[in-house]
Amino acid sequence: MNLRNQLNFSGGPGVLPESVLRQVQEAIVEVPGVGLSILGISHRSDWFTGVVAELEANIRALLALPQDYHVLFLQGGATQQFSMVPMTLLRGRTQAAEYLHTGYWSGKAIPEAGREGPVRVVWSGEDEGFRRLPGEDELAFAADAPYIHYVSNETVEGLQFHRVLGRDDVPRVCDMSSDFLSRPCEAERFSLIYAHAQKNIGPAGMTVVLIRDELLAKAPDGLHGFLDYRKHVEAHSTYNTPPVFAIYVVLLMTRWLLDEVGGVERMGEINRGKAAALYELLDRSEGFYKGRVAPNDRSTMNVTFRLATPKLEARFLEQALSAGFYGLSGHRSTGGVRASLYNAMTLPAVENLVDFMETFKRSHQTAA
Ligand SMILES: *Cc1c(COP(=O)(O)O)cnc(C)c1O
């Protein structure tokens, strides 16, 4: 059988493990022990209450999350968090929230925050085309900011922070949508982490929010119920009908991470190995494949590169697709090539891509 899922290099929704897909296939018809399809089980059932409880416990275990965090499963994607975060933490404040502008997705979060209150862009990589991340000597954070916000992995550009930013006396807020549970993240150093499921940990439709209890006490009154984290805390993530299917698949993914992979430390090692295989090829290609970003800021999740001419790039993408490597076109905003190596992408699949790229290079080197 041709395991198509091994060849899905898409930027998102991303690849899921074969073993999880098999369980999903079974659950579509009948969840073992329940006698109903996953698509028709009530979110008010004891079974689903158990799913939410187990998923929460698994995430706490994977991240060694302290007890004073709430674990929420929301809708609206990461995009809704671009708004919910400043509604909760910035509305009515006079000090500016501090945002880093490191790429496409952080650039989407900034104007949404601006609707709620003052925002200061601490650093922007825009003038340099988002080819690198800032060093510590380029960053000065204010002690009185309501919070700082950054994106740990800029999915479009292929930039990833390999350290925690900010200061310990100002709440850190981080969009980890494209690297959540792909490596250890020192969750206890953040006040709020959000990540939608569809890059690393499941299908689209669900967003994980980890929020420290003390932030809720300071939230303004009068928020719409659906946009108020406190309502979701009280309702244990069933304030309205939640995406039962998506939440169940994420539960299966956390079981896979715990039982088959062996935790996020191990997942991080595997992900570093996959990325290294591809970056080593770029580095020894003598400029045939040109990496987009500064080597120190390379992402383990999204490997971005260009070829010499748009024509050669188009030929590469076309031949890759017919060889079974799906989803390699760069984001519509940047072009180029992007290989996304999310958790379920296997090392053998990455090695297949490396072989394909070696062969393509040999047959096109002189033509370029
Ligand atoms: C894909 C992505 C988003 C957009 O998420 P939606 O769920 O589509 O709203 C936001 N942030 C990051 C870092 C992403 O990779």
Side-chain angles (χ1 to χ4, degrees):
M1 183 196 149
N2 179 16
L3 300 178
R4 294 293 303 180
N5 64 314
Q6 288 198 353
L7 306 176
N8 183 359
F9 288 88
S10 165
V15 58
L16 293 173
E18 170 92 3
S19 64
V20 166
L21 293 176
R22 295 271 170 227
Q23 294 173 73
V24 172
Q25 184 182 35
E26 186 181 3
I28 294 276
V29 179
E30 185 183 320
V31 177
V34 179
L36 289 167
S37 162
I38 183 65
L39 302 179
I41 298 182
S42 169
H43 57 292
R44 304 287 173 207
S45 63
D46 290 345
W47 179 80
F48 185 68
T49 305
V51 165
V52 170
E54 186 191 338
L55 176 53
E56 176 179 334
N58 287 356
I59 289 174
R60 287 185 185 279
L62 283 163
L63 297 178
L65 197 64
Q67 277 308 312
D68 63 328
Y69 286 80
H70 301 285
V71 180
L72 300 175
F73 309 123
L74 307 183
Q75 298 180 66
T79 301
Q80 176 154 293
Q81 295 310 305
F82 296 163
S83 303
M84 265 176 99
V85 164
M87 280 177 182
T88 310
L89 302 179
L90 188 55
R91 187 172 287 189
R93 305 286 294 259
T94 50
Q95 306 296 342
E98 305 209 292
Y99 276 67
L100 272 84
H101 188 192
T102 48
Y104 181 86
W105 287 116
S106 53
K108 294 280 182 198
I110 292 167
E112 302 298 344
R115 294 173 199 274
E116 292 291 340
V119 172
R120 186 173 83 92
V121 175
V122 179
W123 186 86
S124 173
E126 192 170 21
D127 292 347
E128 296 173 49
F130 302 121
R131 280 167 205 287
R132 67 178 187 97
L133 295 172
E136 281 306 301
D137 53 340
E138 295 172 276
L139 298 172
F141 295 103
D144 57 358
Y147 65 95
I148 81 144
H149 178 281
Y150 68 98
V151 174
S152 53
N153 183 70
E154 286 281 9
T155 323
V156 170
E157 290 79 7
L159 290 161
Q160 187 177 34
F161 282 107
H162 301 289
R163 65 181 194 276
V164 172
L165 296 191
R167 29 191 309 154
D168 290 335
D169 55 354
V170 173
R172 292 185 179 90
V173 177
C174 194
D175 175 358
M176 294 194 190
S177 289
S178 55
D179 64 3
F180 188 62
L181 300 183
S182 75
R183 60 176 183 177
C185 70
E186 299 185 75
E188 70 286 353
R189 298 182 64 191
F190 295 85
S191 295
L192 195 159
I193 291 171
Y194 60 93
H196 61 201
Q198 69 263 29
K199 306 271 160 70
N200 265 308
I201 57 161
M206 190 270 250
T207 304
V208 179
V209 174
L210 312 179
I211 182 168
R212 203 162 225 152
D213 187 60
E214 63 181 20
L215 290 195
L216 296 179
K218 296 185 219 142
D221 294 326
L223 292 170
H224 291 263
F226 192 78
L227 302 175
D228 188 336
Y229 292 117
R230 291 167 297 198
K231 296 285 192 245
H232 294 284
V233 168
E234 281 162 25
H236 299 284
S237 299
T238 46
Y239 178 71
N240 68 332
T241 314
V244 170
F245 173 74
I247 291 173
Y248 180 64
V249 180
V250 178
L251 171 66
L252 297 178
M253 276 300 285
T254 59
R255 285 181 185 162
W256 175 81
L257 278 167
L258 283 164
D259 303 337
E260 289 187 50
V261 175
V264 285
E265 192 83 45
R266 181 74 193 115
M267 191 73 253
E269 285 167 21
I270 294 169
N271 285 331
R272 280 199 305 279
K274 282 153 33 183
L278 212 38
Y279 285 123
E280 278 160 22
L281 165 65
L282 303 193
D283 289 344
R284 67 170 183 266
S285 78
E286 294 155 334
F288 186 84
Y289 299 111
K290 284 186 284 293
R292 239 199 123 258
V293 304
N296 286 341
D297 304 321
R298 284 169 165 177
S299 167
T300 54
M301 297 279 99
N302 311 98
V303 177
T304 53
F305 58 92
R306 304 216 69 129
L307 283 79
T309 63
K311 204 173 143 205
L312 189 61
E313 226 161 55
R315 191 178 308 158
F316 173 82
L317 288 169
E318 197 185 290
Q319 290 194 12
L321 189 59
S322 50
F325 300 98
Y326 172 83
L328 286 171
S329 310
H331 189 264
R332 57 198 151 81
S333 66
T334 51
V337 184
R338 172 177 59 172
S340 297
L341 313 178
Y342 299 129
N343 283 350
M345 173 60 58
T346 65
L347 180 61
V350 176
E351 287 166 348
N352 283 347
L353 177 62
V354 168
D355 289 347
F356 168 83
M357 287 172 64
E358 296 270 25
T359 308
F360 184 88
K361 174 175 174 277
R362 273 196 300 276
S363 54
H364 289 81
Q365 211 148 24
T366 45

